Amino acid sequence: MSVLTRTPQFHIARLRGRNNEGVLLGIIALLLLLIAMFSPGTLSPAMFADILRSSVVNMALALGVLLIIISGGIDVSFTAIAIFAAYSTVVLMRSIGLDNGILPFLAAAVIGALLGIINAVLVAGFKLQTLIATLGSQGIVRGALLAFVGSVYISSLPSALAQIGDARLTTIGGSAVSVLVIPVILLAVGLAVVLRKTMFGRSIYAIGGAPESARRAGIRVGRVQTVIYIAAGALSGFAGMVHVALVGHASPFELVGTELTVIAAVVIGGASDAGGRGSVQGVALGVVLLALIQNSLVRLGVPGFWHTAVVGVVILLGVAIQAQSRRRRSKRSTILESAVTA
Amino acid sequence: MSSASTVAPSFLARVRRTLDAAGHTGNLGLLLAGVIIVFSLLNPSIFASPLNLQSIAYAVPEIALLALAIAVTMSSGGIDLSIVATANLSALGAASVSIALMAGGVPGDAAAATGIAVALTVGVGCGLINGLLVAKLRIAPILATLATMTLFSGFAVAVTRGTPLYGLPDAILALGVQTVAIIPVSFWLLILAVVVIWAVMNRTGLGLRIILVGASPEAADYTGIRRSRVLLSTYALSGAIAALAGILMSARSASATAEYGSSYLLLAITIAVLGGTNPLGGRAPIVGVGVAAIVLQAISSGFNGLHISPYIYQILQGLILVVVLVVEVRRGRLTKWITRMMSRPPADGAALAASTGAATPLKEQPTPKPLTQGSHEHD
Amino acid sequence: MTDNPVVLRARGIDKSYGGVHALADADLEIRAGEVHCLAGANGSGKSTLIKILSGVEAPDRGEIEIAGTVTSKLSVVGSISHGIQVIYQDLSLFPNLTVAENVAMTTRVAGRARIISITAARELTLTVMKRLELDIDPDALLEELSVAQRQLVAICRAIANDVRVLFMDEPTTALTWNEVGTLFQVVSALKADGVAIVFVSHKTEEVFALSDRITVLRNGKVVAVGGVAEFDRDSLVEALIGRQELEERIVSSDVHDSPVLEVNSISAPGLFAEISFTAHAGEIIGLTGLMGSGRSEVADAIFGIIPFTSGRVAVDGHDIRSGDVASAISAGIAYVPSDRLTQGIFLDQAISRNLVASSISSLANKLGWLRPKAIRAGVDKLIDELSLKVGSPDDPVSSLSGGNQQRVVIGKWLATNPRVLVLNGPTVGVDIGSKAAILQILREKAAQGITVLLISDDVPELVSVCHRVLVVRRGRLVDEIASQNVTVEAVRERSIA
Amino acid sequence: SAGIGATTDGATSTSTSMTNIVKLSGGDWFNRMETGNQEWAAENDFTVNQTAGDDSSPEKQIAIISDTIPQKPAAITVVPNAPESIEAVLKRARDAGIIVVTHEAAGIVNTDADIEAFDDEAYGAHQMDLLASCMGDAGGTYAHFVGGLTVTSHNNWVKGAEDQASSEYPKVKSIGDPISSDESADTAYQRTKELLATYPDLRGILGAASTDVVGAGRAVAEAGKEDSVCVIGTSLPSTAGDALKTGAVDTITFWDPALAGKAMLTIAKKLLAGEEIVDGTDLDIPGYEKITQSPDSATTFFGTAWVDVTAENAADYPF
Ligand SMILES: Nc1ncnc2c1ncn2[C@@H]1O[C@H](COP(=O)(O)OP(=O)(O)OP(=O)(O)O)[C@@H](O)[C@H]1O
Ligand SMILES: Nc1ncnc2c1ncn2[C@@H]1O[C@H](COP(=O)(O)OP(=O)(O)OP(=O)(O)O)[C@@H](O)[C@H]1O
Ligand SMILES: [Mg+2]
Ligand SMILES: [Mg+2]
């Protein structure tokens, strides 16, 4: 019967990582090299702290998006859910006079999960295409926030929450590392474990790769989707609260509008827009890469008016590299097939 | 017995049949009629007034054109997120060239014509860049155009240093304010564009190829359709439509800037989908998209007229999108889903018992009752 | 066999999809340790019955009895936990997961596993593969495998479970003959363990070689049940299509001398090498060989899907650019690919659109505008010529039966007035009635002077229509069976060698 | 120069309602303007509606103005998102007999009168004066934040500040192009951290969007550079009050939106009554007692309504 010998290029492929993690690391190293050449003074430990800081919220948001993208969907409502959950939590805390540092994060996650039910109903219940469902829910959630919860900038948070936002885990080269990095890292690691090691996680990949096959294998597709959208809602709510705590104020107009950037980070990190692929490690690299670029433009002395264009070029490079490697993979498949026939 | 009672049902039946034939677009037409009736009742003196209808007609063309650009790319199985950026870049091209020409003494109309040609060229150019990325580099359209969206608008900001360009030729400005037979010129242009785009998609080889590529790229390859050429044309067409939208946008705002219309992107997608476009490709309901644009604009306008918060309108817009598609997808799904979610997964070893609802051993009851459909695994 | 206990019984199953009555009052009885063949023409409801018995689809009416309980509907998990395993017609695997994960997936779902172990999955896979004498890297992604290997993975997955009833929906279509041999050995071993095997195949030889009992479906109804001894070839065919099969060799002697298709020493590294032959007007040439011998790739290369690195292909003396489908088409080559559903048709599009898809440029004027009248006339002519059973040409092609869909693909190419018609397995998965119709179309087209290149591993089919049969082995043309020697025995012998 | 009167037949309008169309629905700034509107409405026999889009995009504002025309209010007062973008629709409003008064749109053509709290470039120059005096004789480099690179008024302030620096303070130097904060305090915060790393001798930051000084001040404070880096810019006491107290932000400047709203309505009322607006007209509103006519545009008038707020006087402005 057929014999498949492992060819050498197969091992090289492994080095690149299934989601091109290796390539991403390469690009990040290249950017650092550029900074070292053009602005050596700024390449300091503090810079890493800054990048960490600006990655935290996007990372938390990206985790939920990753779940949905792996399952074969796309989500444009998560920023609306995030800011709805966080802002209404702050409003609620002020109105009942609650002052606590931990509860608001839980409350925001719960509100996010409840909002996630809207997406779950539309996607798992009504079988709407995910882009349509989340376009609709984005409008509903954002409109409800501004119409019914509030539309004013809240400049000071309840003090315990403000303290959490200001609390430093450590200081690297004069730049603070917020304690909020810890829960986000824990969530990321937890999600990575769930995705790799649990049946639920593998079911998400299975559904993303071949939904009908998943159903035939006995996976409860609707149930898994329901959990995904609720979990993504909870992650978004939590991320919204991290954002609010970090910036020290609550504005209902923030976050919405950044969804495409987060999706770009997830995809640059190797998640396939067609579903069934992606990893937490890859997403972390994607988020860091985008943060690094945004944080390097000033350092590299790129004139302010050119910042957006440069970010566009880098996103283009990122998605092009992922596309090329996917092409190579499908070519490899024919090479392997020919190895069999020879 | 008058004949009226017999005529009515057959007339209604005929209406029904015509609407069925029109399908989704027909339903949208009904929705539009409903919207107009409701707002005319709520705000009798104003909503149906010519001035207000004119106001709607002024607002529709640019967003409808952007939605058409989305619809065209969606029907090929892709999407173009860079339409707004393309529109702005095209408008800037038109503005800078025509302003420079007029400064050099060229008559306004000639400058305007040249400017429009430049805009279309820029639009097609942007579209070709997208097309190359999608067709040659095989980047997923949503990602390729996400990147070019950022690139094009970044480029526009950089070259203009953020400042708007004023002083467009009168011929272009007229597109934004003039009317012919009460109806704004820009709306006439939209009607013309809908007819042309409809004809391209339904009456030309290119349109048929675009739809077939959207229906199945692999089958298209095996059919001898040059897919990359078709995709290049698709995105070029989308770029040209976006450029037209850009010209109307600059006519309506009397200027060209790098960041006009940022709120239009998601709205254009919403309109395209509401109009009946399948995001997975293979369908190009051009007229439906035009009607959907009018429906949403009429509601928005009705809300503004009643001083209802724009945020309520945003909720309603989301609801309309979702409800219209849910109703089409089928009713009854929700209750099924809820029962399934409420039911506990069967315990170990009891899988069959749970899956059979009220399972009965064969020996004890030879004629089993019809079993209730409840806790079934069936998506 | 008939004494063995019944492990699974379906009674009075009804199932409709919209207007299609896929199953009407169908019964099926499966006994432990038997190989049961489920036979029937395309669209007769075989796959639907399997899906109902594995809990994937819910029947509209009827009952299923398993392990002493009766139910109106199984759940997927319920059926798996009762030892029902299915190798689906479309395999239903996960391209983005590894071989090991694919193999282990159903056992874990059924076992209600919460945590998974990669090592355990790998071990399970290796154990099963050992049993099947396979060597596929358990860590390879499924999408990196060939179709045949995927088929084998699907088989591994089914027997990795604690299986009591094994459904195999056309499991041999993608396999080479020796792989089929191994599969048959596994089937015998499972049977010896008391496993019931339900087997779907369109190949009558397989049916007789393997089965103990046969159930024949026609239009969703059971029209015959019985032990294999109660059937012979003719009675089976009659049960399948309600009339006798015509598969005699009918080959016209009307072949012109003029060479039309010249294939001159073409090679593609790793796929095939130095393939040369010449085909004449009115000639039907068979191209056969084992699965993976390179015969499909030769066809792909002639049509420009795969580039050839040396040699030349010419039609009527005009060279075709390597790897350029458009140049092949403009030279007059038409190609009916092997995978009808994904490569042949545009499933959700109208029948008329499918029929014009390859001849769009000839139906448009110079400015690219389509000529609606010409289109309608062309579509009507084709529907008539191919005797397509369609409601309206505006219906989606998905509303047609498989045989009719395949005829649409052929019709799409006939509309281009081709000089050379290349068909890759045009009758795979098509029932006998449609098959005869398709072969008749080929004869008629050849009689009109078209050159036909028929790639197939269905030997009786080759014998029935081909003037000559070429044999490919390991990427090389190794044999040519001339007209007077084309017999079933000769072809089979030379292609296996 | 000549003053202006209503150039349309709007003076004959019998409507007693006015519509105030602002940049964005909700938010502190325009809520404050609405407070002023309603105070004014109570004192005068008019009803005033404030309306805006759900985001601050010019296209939505155009649609709203357009939809207001059929309601035929006596006047509309507009705070444009992008002044150039509403020219065409304002023309339609005026053609329909509606009085149009604008704010933050100096030089706009299709208006009956535009009232500015101040001359943009003078305001930018004033901010530069504050920055230069804070930086002291040694001078140094500074960076300028804008809410968006296409916001006209912000760009004008940048220009005013740059011109003032080059003519008056040769030792005060800009690092280059303005940097966009996307109206986000967090972005301003992050960009400031990078600025501090890249330009170790940075001495000053000017903010244009109301959240800029908050984010920048926070980064400066975190770096422990409150004393060496001056943070000055446009903001509101409710937004930047805390940062003023901690010393992270040195001075904020602004104009009271409530008064600006009243000024627009007052002008509209005067025009409706057939009065003329001329250089020196007194609107009887603090900061608008003697408005000056722009030398570039007969319809543009400036007040002197900017306010400087430091930690000491922040409590006087409860908004
Ligand atoms: N998916 C479908 N949706 C709607 N109608 C269908 C569908 N599949 C089949 N039909 C209809 O049911 C009829 C019977 O289908 P079936 O596959 O049994 O045909 P058949 O007799 O096998 O034809 P053939 O010999 O061409 O394969 C078809 O002719 C078609 O009109
Ligand atoms: N999901 C579906 N929707 C609509 N029609 C369906 C569906 N599945 C099957 N059918 C129709 O039901 C009938 C029976 O189909 P089924 O797949 O069971 O046939 P089959 O005997 O397995 O045919 P084949 O030999 O081609 O595999 C066909 O007419 C088919 O077109
Ligand atoms: Mg089948
Ligand atoms: Mg200071």
Side-chain angles (χ1 to χ4, degrees):
Chain A
M1 301 200 100
S2 315
V3 176
L4 180 115
T5 41
R6 295 202 210 170
T7 52
Q9 68 253 50
F10 211 79
H11 286 297
I12 296 164
R14 292 263 151 97
L15 246 185
R16 298 162 58 101
R18 237 178 208 152
N19 300 299
N20 276 333
E21 287 91 345
V23 179
L24 280 178
L25 270 178
I27 300 180
I28 290 175
L30 195 75
L31 262 173
L32 291 177
L33 198 72
L34 276 178
I35 298 174
M37 278 163 59
F38 290 103
S39 178
T42 68
L43 193 65
S44 63
M47 180 180 149
F48 294 98
D50 292 349
I51 287 165
L52 197 62
R53 163 73 170 62
S54 51
S55 306
V56 174
V57 175
N58 276 352
M59 186 65 201
L61 286 170
L63 292 178
V65 179
L66 174 67
L67 271 180
I68 289 168
I69 290 189
I70 294 177
S71 79
I74 183 110
D75 186 358
V76 293
S77 69
F78 62 95
T79 49
I81 292 180
I83 199 63
F84 185 110
Y87 185 80
S88 50
T89 301
V90 172
V91 168
L92 192 72
M93 286 171 76
R94 283 157 63 99
S95 72
I96 63 174
L98 176 76
D99 190 11
N100 186 296
I102 308 292
L103 277 183
F105 290 91
L106 296 179
V110 169
I111 295 174
L114 291 175
L115 295 172
I117 292 178
I118 302 178
N119 287 333
V121 169
L122 295 175
V123 172
F126 284 117
K127 310 271 176 279
L128 282 195
Q129 282 175 21
T130 52
L131 175 66
I132 300 173
T134 55
L135 262 177
S137 60
Q138 189 217 40
I140 296 169
V141 170
R142 179 165 189 266
L145 169 67
L146 291 161
F148 304 127
V149 182
S151 60
V152 296
Y153 178 100
I154 300 175
S155 66
S156 59
L157 301 176
S159 61
L161 182 57
Q163 272 168 22
I164 289 278
D166 287 336
R168 304 170 169 211
L169 183 64
T170 167
T171 309
I172 305 179
S175 271
V177 177
S178 163
V179 289
L180 289 172
V181 166
I182 294 181
V184 173
I185 289 178
L186 286 180
L187 278 176
V189 172
L191 188 68
V193 171
V194 166
L195 284 176
R196 283 226 66 77
K197 298 283 179 201
T198 69
M199 197 53 209
F200 172 69
R202 298 323 284 170
S203 303
I204 301 176
Y205 283 91
I207 290 174
E212 179 60 19
S213 303
R215 191 168 78 84
R216 292 184 186 175
I219 295 171
R220 294 153 183 265
V221 176
R223 195 177 289 257
V224 173
Q225 277 179 333
T226 306
V227 177
I228 291 172
Y229 280 89
I230 294 176
L235 282 168
S236 304
F238 177 81
M241 204 64 213
V242 172
H243 167 81
V244 163
L246 277 180
V247 299
H249 62 249
S251 161
F253 297 103
E254 287 178 353
L255 289 184
V256 175
T258 64
E259 51 272 353
L260 291 179
T261 314
V262 178
I263 292 173
V266 172
V267 174
I268 290 173
S272 160
D273 59 301
R277 270 189 201 88
S279 69
V280 172
Q281 303 90 289
V283 166
L285 289 173
V287 168
V288 167
L289 177 61
L290 278 194
L292 178 61
I293 291 155
Q294 271 157 351
N295 281 282
S296 314
L297 296 172
V298 170
R299 292 170 208 272
L300 289 171
V302 177
F305 285 115
W306 283 94
H307 284 188
T308 317
V310 174
V311 170
V313 169
V314 174
I315 294 180
L316 189 55
L317 270 178
V319 296
I321 285 171
Q322 290 291 0
Q324 290 306 305
S325 90
R326 203 141 288 152
R327 264 175 95 177
R328 206 167 297 130
R329 186 179 304 156
S330 64
K331 274 205 193 114
R332 194 161 68 229
S333 127
T334 51
I335 291 168
L336 289 178
E337 201 157 329
S338 67
V340 175
T341 60
Chain B
M1 286 290 190
S2 74
S3 60
S5 60
T6 55
V7 166
S10 79
F11 171 73
L12 283 180
R14 210 169 333 131
V15 171
R16 186 68 247 166
R17 237 177 296 129
T18 318
L19 281 174
D20 278 351
H24 182 87
T25 306
N27 292 342
L28 285 174
L30 274 186
L31 184 62
L32 179 59
V35 165
I36 291 176
I37 291 170
V38 166
F39 280 111
S40 300
L41 291 176
L42 287 176
N43 200 356
S45 61
I46 291 177
F47 187 82
S49 69
L51 257 181
N52 192 54
L53 298 180
Q54 212 182 45
S55 166
I56 296 174
Y58 270 117
V60 166
E62 56 193 47
I63 181 61
L65 283 173
L66 291 172
L68 286 171
I70 293 270
V72 166
T73 47
M74 269 188 179
S75 63
S76 77
I79 193 167
D80 185 353
L81 298 181
S82 73
I83 42 166
V84 175
T86 302
N88 283 329
L89 207 53
S90 307
L92 283 170
S96 52
V97 169
S98 55
I99 292 169
L101 284 177
M102 284 195 299
V106 176
D109 287 354
T114 318
I116 290 173
V118 168
L120 289 173
T121 312
V122 172
V124 169
C126 291
L128 286 176
I129 293 177
N130 287 327
L132 280 175
L133 296 175
V134 170
K136 299 288 183 202
L137 294 185
R138 310 258 181 87
I139 304 178
I142 193 168
L143 305 178
T145 57
L146 172 67
T148 53
M149 167 182 95
T150 319
L151 188 57
F152 295 161
S153 69
F155 184 71
V157 168
V159 294
T160 61
R161 297 185 65 80
T163 45
L165 294 180
Y166 299 94
L168 292 163
D170 289 341
I172 291 184
L173 293 179
L175 297 176
V177 286
Q178 299 242 306
T179 58
V180 171
I182 319 184
I183 295 173
V185 176
S186 56
F187 198 82
W188 286 116
L189 267 179
L190 171 66
I191 293 175
L192 185 68
V194 166
V195 170
V196 170
I197 298 169
W198 179 88
V200 167
M201 295 306 288
N202 291 282
R203 287 286 179 271
T204 69
L206 174 64
L208 183 50
R209 289 188 180 102
I210 292 175
I211 291 172
L212 290 176
V213 165
S216 169
E218 194 176 354
D221 283 349
Y222 278 88
T223 302
I225 295 174
R226 296 187 186 201
R227 182 147 55 104
S228 46
R229 200 184 276 186
V230 171
L231 286 178
L232 271 177
S233 318
T234 308
Y235 286 87
L237 179 59
S238 149
I241 301 173
L244 198 56
I247 292 167
L248 290 189
M249 285 178 353
S250 64
R252 212 156 82 92
S253 65
S255 60
T257 88
E259 287 194 337
Y260 186 85
S262 58
S263 71
Y264 278 164
L265 180 57
L266 290 186
L267 180 60
I269 299 175
T270 304
I271 292 173
V273 171
L274 186 62
T277 317
N278 183 351
L280 303 180
R283 198 140 40 94
I286 300 302
V287 178
V289 173
V291 178
I294 300 176
V295 169
L296 287 188
Q297 193 53 48
I299 297 175
S300 160
S301 203
F303 269 46
N304 283 338
L306 293 168
H307 293 296
I308 301 174
S309 153
Y311 302 127
I312 304 276
Y313 167 68
Q314 203 175 32
I315 299 176
L316 191 74
Q317 183 182 308
L319 279 177
I320 290 175
L321 175 65
V322 163
V323 169
V324 166
L325 287 150
V326 160
V327 167
E328 270 175 27
V329 163
R330 213 180 302 161
R331 272 154 292 176
R333 284 219 194 258
L334 182 64
T335 44
K336 223 163 150 190
W337 175 80
I338 290 173
T339 11
R340 202 160 356 106
M341 287 307 119
M342 302 302 272
S343 74
R344 292 150 159 273
D348 283 1
L352 183 68
S355 72
T356 57
T360 36
L362 187 61
K363 281 175 217 151
E364 290 164 20
Q365 199 174 349
T367 44
K369 290 177 265 175
L371 304 168
T372 48
Q373 251 206 314
S375 55
H376 297 323
E377 221 5 81
H378 182 223
D379 286 286
Chain C
M1 271 320 128
T2 40
D3 320 327
N4 288 2
V6 172
V7 287
L8 180 62
R9 178 183 283 141
R11 259 198 308 250
I13 303 287
D14 247 58
K15 177 74 185 175
S16 296
Y17 293 105
V20 185
H21 209 161
L23 285 173
D25 198 22
D27 298 338
L28 183 68
E29 205 178 77
I30 304 198
R31 296 166 188 275
E34 73 171 356
V35 176
H36 193 124
C37 176
L38 200 53
N42 291 131
S44 56
K46 306 175 297 287
S47 298
T48 305
L49 187 54
I50 292 176
K51 285 177 202 159
I52 285 172
L53 292 176
S54 61
V56 166
E57 299 274 333
D60 298 336
R61 240 191 325 278
E63 59 191 52
I64 300 160
E65 181 193 332
I66 183 165
T69 47
V70 174
T71 173
S72 68
K73 184 203 176 299
L74 282 166
S75 73
V76 175
V77 176
S79 81
I80 293 173
S81 67
H82 275 79
I84 295 176
Q85 279 298 318
V86 187
I87 299 160
Y88 289 98
Q89 197 167 1
D90 62 3
L91 305 185
S92 293
L93 295 169
F94 303 101
N96 57 328
L97 301 184
T98 63
V99 169
E101 283 192 301
N102 268 288
V103 171
M105 186 60 84
T106 44
T107 63
R108 285 159 176 173
V109 174
R112 317 202 130 268
R114 294 208 191 284
I115 305 296
I116 52 158
S117 149
I118 305 276
T119 16
R122 201 176 287 132
E123 270 163 29
L124 175 70
T125 309
L126 289 173
T127 318
V128 180
M129 285 204 289
K130 203 165 168 200
R131 193 164 152 200
L132 288 176
E133 297 169 37
L134 289 174
D135 181 18
I136 300 176
D137 179 5
D139 295 324
L141 286 180
L142 190 86
E143 65 191 349
E144 292 168 345
L145 305 186
S146 68
V147 179
Q149 288 174 319
R150 291 179 204 189
Q151 180 77 262
L152 296 168
V153 171
I155 296 169
C156 288
R157 177 170 79 169
I159 65 173
N161 289 271
D162 176 19
V163 52
R164 263 165 279 164
V165 183
L166 176 58
F167 288 97
M168 302 198 288
D169 200 347
E170 306 193 24
T172 57
T173 39
L175 298 189
T176 62
W177 288 336
N178 25 351
E179 284 166 339
V180 170
T182 316
L183 179 63
F184 285 5
Q185 282 165 24
V186 174
V187 166
S188 310
L190 289 172
K191 180 178 157 178
D193 293 345
V195 175
I197 288 141
V198 183
F199 182 75
V200 175
S201 175
H202 286 285
K203 300 177 185 164
T204 25
E205 299 152 55
E206 278 178 14
V207 174
F208 283 109
L210 214 56
S211 41
D212 300 312
R213 291 206 307 143
I214 299 175
T215 296
V216 183
L217 283 171
R218 193 162 73 222
N219 294 333
K221 295 193 189 68
V222 175
V223 291
V225 195
V228 69
E230 296 165 41
F231 290 89
D232 62 14
R233 227 181 117 72
D234 290 346
S235 66
L236 178 61
V237 169
E238 186 164 354
L240 285 171
I241 59 165
R243 62 190 140 94
Q244 280 285 334
E245 173 195 17
L246 296 169
E247 219 176 70
E248 61 203 273
R249 180 168 162 81
I250 309 175
V251 178
S252 83
S253 54
D254 210 17
V255 177
H256 307 261
D257 298 338
S258 50
V260 175
L261 173 68
E262 288 170 89
V263 176
N264 197 338
S265 193
I266 57 170
S267 305
L271 300 176
F272 54 81
E274 289 162 33
I275 304 280
S276 300
F277 62 90
T278 304
H280 303 90
E283 193 176 25
I284 304 183
I285 294 196
L287 189 64
T288 190
L290 295 177
M291 191 81 186
S293 60
R295 48 168 205 185
S296 291
E297 288 77 4
V298 170
D300 282 351
I302 291 174
F303 189 59
I305 302 271
I306 298 177
F308 48 87
T309 50
S310 63
R312 59 183 277 264
V313 174
V315 174
D316 292 330
H318 301 296
D319 274 17
I320 289 164
R321 268 200 306 279
S322 158
D324 183 354
V325 174
S327 105
I329 292 176
S330 59
I333 300 183
Y335 185 44
V336 176
S338 57
D339 186 341
R340 183 202 328 135
L341 283 180
T342 65
Q343 300 169 342
I345 55 170
F346 299 91
L347 199 58
D348 297 327
Q349 298 291 322
I351 295 163
S352 53
R353 276 191 179 160
N354 271 278
L355 284 171
V356 302
S358 285
S359 45
I360 295 174
S361 19
S362 69
L363 293 168
N365 67 15
K366 276 190 196 122
L367 291 172
W369 292 95
L370 296 172
R371 290 173 291 139
K373 272 192 197 139
I375 291 181
R376 203 160 322 119
V379 166
D380 289 347
K381 180 164 161 268
L382 283 170
I383 289 177
D384 187 53
E385 193 177 329
L386 302 162
S387 28
L388 283 173
K389 287 183 275 174
V390 302
S392 150
D394 296 331
D395 288 343
V397 75
S398 58
S399 68
L400 296 180
S401 70
N404 277 305
Q405 287 177 354
Q406 189 66 284
R407 271 178 267 175
V408 169
V409 182
I410 296 174
K412 158 177 102 179
W413 286 113
L414 294 182
T416 65
N417 294 320
R419 293 286 290 140
V420 181
L421 180 57
V422 183
L423 306 100
N424 193 349
T427 62
V428 169
V430 167
D431 69 83
I432 294 171
S434 289
K435 182 169 163 179
I438 289 172
L439 295 182
Q440 190 53 38
I441 293 172
L442 298 188
R443 288 192 191 100
E444 282 164 17
K445 289 298 144 190
Q448 290 168 17
I450 292 180
T451 302
V452 178
L453 181 62
L454 174 61
I455 292 96
S456 173
D457 59 356
D458 183 331
V459 174
E461 166 179 306
L462 290 168
V463 171
S464 118
V465 293
C466 293
H467 293 98
R468 287 185 288 152
V469 176
L470 309 176
V471 182
V472 181
R473 205 181 301 142
R474 290 184 170 264
R476 288 177 187 272
L477 204 59
V478 292
D479 216 337
E480 172 173 339
I481 307 167
S483 186
Q484 66 276 15
N485 299 331
V486 174
T487 61
V488 171
E489 292 70 29
V491 176
R492 182 153 305 159
E493 191 181 305
R494 304 222 205 156
S495 42
I496 299 176
Chain D
S1 54
I4 55 150
T7 51
T8 66
D9 57 356
T12 61
S13 170
T14 53
S15 171
T16 58
S17 84
M18 297 190 190
T19 304
N20 171 223
I21 297 154
V22 298
K23 293 182 178 181
L24 172 70
S25 185
D28 298 297
W29 187 271
F30 293 110
N31 285 349
R32 173 73 185 166
M33 186 173 280
E34 176 67 351
T35 310
N37 288 343
Q38 295 314 324
E39 275 175 29
W40 186 90
E43 290 161 12
N44 299 273
D45 287 334
F46 278 94
T47 55
V48 179
N49 285 307
Q50 192 185 67
T51 159
D54 58 359
D55 60 41
S56 54
S57 57
E59 59 273 14
K60 288 201 173 146
Q61 198 174 34
I62 294 176
I64 286 167
I65 298 172
S66 177
D67 288 339
T68 306
I69 297 172
Q71 300 167 25
K72 303 214 175 211
I76 57 177
T77 62
V78 188
V79 189
N81 283 313
E84 69 285 352
S85 72
I86 58 169
E87 292 279 18
V89 71
L90 289 187
K91 179 171 183 329
R92 281 178 41 222
R94 297 184 70 217
D95 290 349
I98 299 167
I99 296 280
V100 172
V101 181
T102 52
H103 173 58
E104 286 192 60
I108 194 167
V109 177
N110 287 303
T111 186
D112 289 291
D114 177 76
I115 177 71
E116 297 297 301
F118 39 70
D119 172 24
D120 273 344
E121 295 197 11
Y123 178 69
H126 171 67
Q127 287 185 322
M128 178 48 69
D129 291 341
L130 293 174
L131 184 70
S133 86
C134 173
M135 281 161 65
D137 295 338
T141 53
Y142 76 98
H144 213 137
F145 278 103
V146 292
L149 293 168
T150 54
V151 181
T152 309
S153 56
H154 292 188
N155 285 337
N156 289 340
W157 301 344
V158 171
K159 184 169 183 305
E162 276 174 0
D163 291 350
Q164 181 75 352
S166 59
S167 64
E168 301 290 325
Y169 311 108
K171 287 184 179 163
V172 177
K173 290 255 184 305
S174 161
I175 61 150
D177 286 354
I179 293 166
S180 170
S181 67
D182 304 331
E183 304 270 349
S184 151
D186 200 44
T187 307
Y189 166 80
Q190 292 181 25
R191 294 295 94 82
T192 304
K193 296 197 82 157
E194 291 150 35
L195 286 169
L196 293 174
T198 314
Y199 305 95
D201 51 356
L202 191 78
R203 294 286 327 282
I205 288 170
L206 283 177
S210 68
T211 48
D212 289 351
V213 289
V214 180
R218 188 166 170 179
V220 168
E222 262 183 32
K225 291 188 168 177
E226 291 100 321
D227 297 329
S228 61
V229 179
C230 295
V231 179
I232 287 166
T234 307
S235 191
L236 280 181
S238 61
T239 306
D242 292 351
L244 281 170
K245 261 181 244 148
T246 62
V249 175
D250 298 277
T251 309
I252 59 168
T253 59
F254 63 96
W255 65 106
D256 185 346
L259 301 182
K262 286 183 183 179
M264 285 192 283
L265 295 167
T266 306
I267 290 178
K269 190 182 169 198
K270 282 183 187 294
L271 292 175
L272 280 168
E275 292 176 35
E276 281 212 336
I277 309 294
V278 295
D279 193 61
T281 298
D282 177 7
L283 298 181
D284 199 17
I285 295 167
Y288 303 88
E289 289 99 342
K290 186 172 178 299
I291 59 177
T292 51
Q293 192 171 31
S294 161
D296 306 324
S297 158
T299 51
T300 302
F301 295 88
F302 300 114
T304 48
W306 69 62
V307 187
D308 297 339
V309 171
T310 59
E312 284 79 54
N313 63 344
D316 302 343
Y317 301 91
F319 56 89

